[in-house]
Amino acid sequence: MTNPATTQQSGAIPTQPGPREAAESKEAAMVADAKAPKPGDAVIAWAGDAIVAGADGAVIPGAGPSGTPGSRPTVKLREADPGDPPRYAPEWLELREPADADARAHDLLDPLRIRLANLPGKSGVAIHDLGCGTGSMGRWLAPRLDGAQHWVLHDRDPYLLHFAAVASPRSAADGSRVSVETRRGDVARLTPDALKGASLVTASALLDVLTRDEIDALAAACAGAGCPALLTLSVAGRVELTPAHPLDTEIAQAFNEHQRRDGLLGPDAVTAAAEAFSEHGATVRLHPSPWRLGPEQAALTEQWLRGWVGAAVEQRPDLRDRADAYLAERLAACAAGQLRVTVHHTDLLALCRPVGGAS
């Protein structure tokens, strides 16, 4: 039996197992004004060329640089209205989901569970997922929490909100009901009023694509609502490749510079967020959450490598000739099962003071 997932635009949508199944079985039910094609019809402008998402040798949108300084990597849809929002490719989000699930810090769940269990007068919890993408955070977290849950999925893209809604989890850890609604909007402009009644705010891979002002606004909104925030998988600026290569450090430095362009915080985001939440009286806990990629994750490693090197070259064009040879060598090692990569991230749990003085 499925639970209904409600959306402000599409009404009731039956829950389905995952984004791939959702894409295949619910294509006809896409948000009406999105004009969304099949994932294979997505193209991204990168380094001046249009390339098909997921095609041989191409970077899946979201894995690599955006092509526009300071903007976030997104995908354009053929025949899309010029006013439609940019879109992340579901292929990239789906490809990284297992590695994300393995990486997230389980040690932060116990203090979160204690806080949620001590909420006064609550028969269930309301969880706001910011920049939800295809909903991987909900699929990971909802089955790890007890009690009835109502998830509010925030994203600017109705295409991804559809994936998230139809692929939402059905039940909590103890079998309690999980319900879902979607809200389209810019998560960087949240106010305490938008989070009114929230028991928890979550996000995944979001902080590092925000500015300091946006992170300050997020911390203020959570503090104003008196709810904790679990913000996972923010890049830490450190990558380890085995075997090592003389160009590893230079590529990593150029990539980090790319992440910081036009005011985005990139690898500095977790420190900024910890400071912002602390200034609002929250207790902040940090925990490492690295991707550990080996031969079993070769497809993800390949896409990550292409995007990582591509962003470095976009930041420093003088690297191009050496980076092309480096990438070819690294991809060959990946295909041969000889490459291992650790991409460091950090998870953050901010326990904001509850509104009304509850403990």
Side-chain angles (χ1 to χ4, degrees), residues 222-308:
C222 292
C227 66
L230 179 63
L231 308 171
T232 68
L233 297 170
S234 299
V235 296
R238 293 183 294 116
V239 175
E240 298 165 10
L241 297 95
T242 305
H245 187 285
L247 202 56
D248 289 345
T249 299
E250 198 167 359
I251 294 289
Q253 290 173 344
F255 175 83
N256 288 341
E257 292 168 8
H258 184 277
Q259 294 291 94
R260 295 183 176 107
R261 292 193 306 175
D262 287 359
L264 301 183
L265 288 176
D268 307 317
V270 170
T271 298
E275 292 171 352
F277 277 99
S278 295
E279 288 172 0
H280 285 282
T283 299
V284 177
R285 302 187 183 200
L286 303 177
H287 201 283
S289 52
W291 277 356
R292 301 190 187 279
L293 309 180
E296 297 80 7
Q297 296 83 26
L300 175 59
T301 303
E302 177 190 344
Q303 284 297 320
W304 173 83
L305 272 169
R306 293 183 184 278
W308 187 60

Side-chain angles (χ1 to χ4, degrees), residues 3 43 45 58 61 65 103 105 115 188 197 217 219 244 251 290 298 318 341 350 354:
N3 63 290
V43 298
R115 168 59 65 86
I251 294 289
D318 61 292
V341 181

Side-chain angles (χ1 to χ4, degrees), residues 142-332:
R144 289 171 169 80
L145 299 177
D146 288 333
Q149 302 168 35
H150 181 69
W151 282 71
V152 182
L153 308 178
H154 297 257
D155 206 287
R156 64 181 300 191
D157 184 354
Y159 183 75
L160 293 182
L161 283 173
H162 176 85
F163 277 109
V166 299
S168 63
R170 298 174 176 83
S171 59
D174 59 358
S176 298
R177 184 174 182 269
V178 174
S179 58
V180 176
E181 68 175 280
T182 65
R183 294 185 187 176
R184 181 178 172 184
D186 188 344
V187 300
R189 299 181 180 179
L190 281 179
T191 65
D193 286 344
L195 298 179
K196 186 176 180 180
S199 310
L200 171 66
V201 167
T202 70
S204 188
L206 176 68
L207 288 181
D208 42 74
V209 294
L210 298 180
T211 66
R212 187 171 296 275
D213 286 346
E214 289 169 343
I215 284 179
D216 289 343
L218 173 59
C222 292
C227 66
L230 179 63
L231 308 171
T232 68
L233 297 170
S234 299
V235 296
R238 293 183 294 116
V239 175
E240 298 165 10
L241 297 95
T242 305
H245 187 285
L247 202 56
D248 289 345
T249 299
E250 198 167 359
I251 294 289
Q253 290 173 344
F255 175 83
N256 288 341
E257 292 168 8
H258 184 277
Q259 294 291 94
R260 295 183 176 107
R261 292 193 306 175
D262 287 359
L264 301 183
L265 288 176
D268 307 317
V270 170
T271 298
E275 292 171 352
F277 277 99
S278 295
E279 288 172 0
H280 285 282
T283 299
V284 177
R285 302 187 183 200
L286 303 177
H287 201 283
S289 52
W291 277 356
R292 301 190 187 279
L293 309 180
E296 297 80 7
Q297 296 83 26
L300 175 59
T301 303
E302 177 190 344
Q303 284 297 320
W304 173 83
L305 272 169
R306 293 183 184 278
W308 187 60
V309 175
V313 170
E314 189 175 271
Q315 181 67 22
R316 283 189 50 194
D318 61 292
L319 285 174
R320 182 174 300 278
D321 290 343
R322 288 183 294 151
D324 285 349
Y326 171 88
L327 179 59
E329 183 178 336
R330 286 308 202 183
L331 290 175

Side-chain angles (χ1 to χ4, degrees), residues 99-160:
D100 288 350
D102 289 342
R104 289 192 183 97
H106 289 252
D107 287 355
L108 296 180
L109 293 182
D110 280 345
L112 176 60
R113 292 186 185 108
I114 292 170
R115 168 59 65 86
L116 296 179
N118 288 332
L119 291 174
K122 292 279 188 178
S123 58
V125 294
I127 301 173
H128 289 246
D129 186 5
L130 309 183
C132 66
T134 58
S136 65
M137 186 66 172
R139 288 189 290 276
W140 179 80
L141 184 58
R144 289 171 169 80
L145 299 177
D146 288 333
Q149 302 168 35
H150 181 69
W151 282 71
V152 182
L153 308 178
H154 297 257
D155 206 287
R156 64 181 300 191
D157 184 354
Y159 183 75
L160 293 182

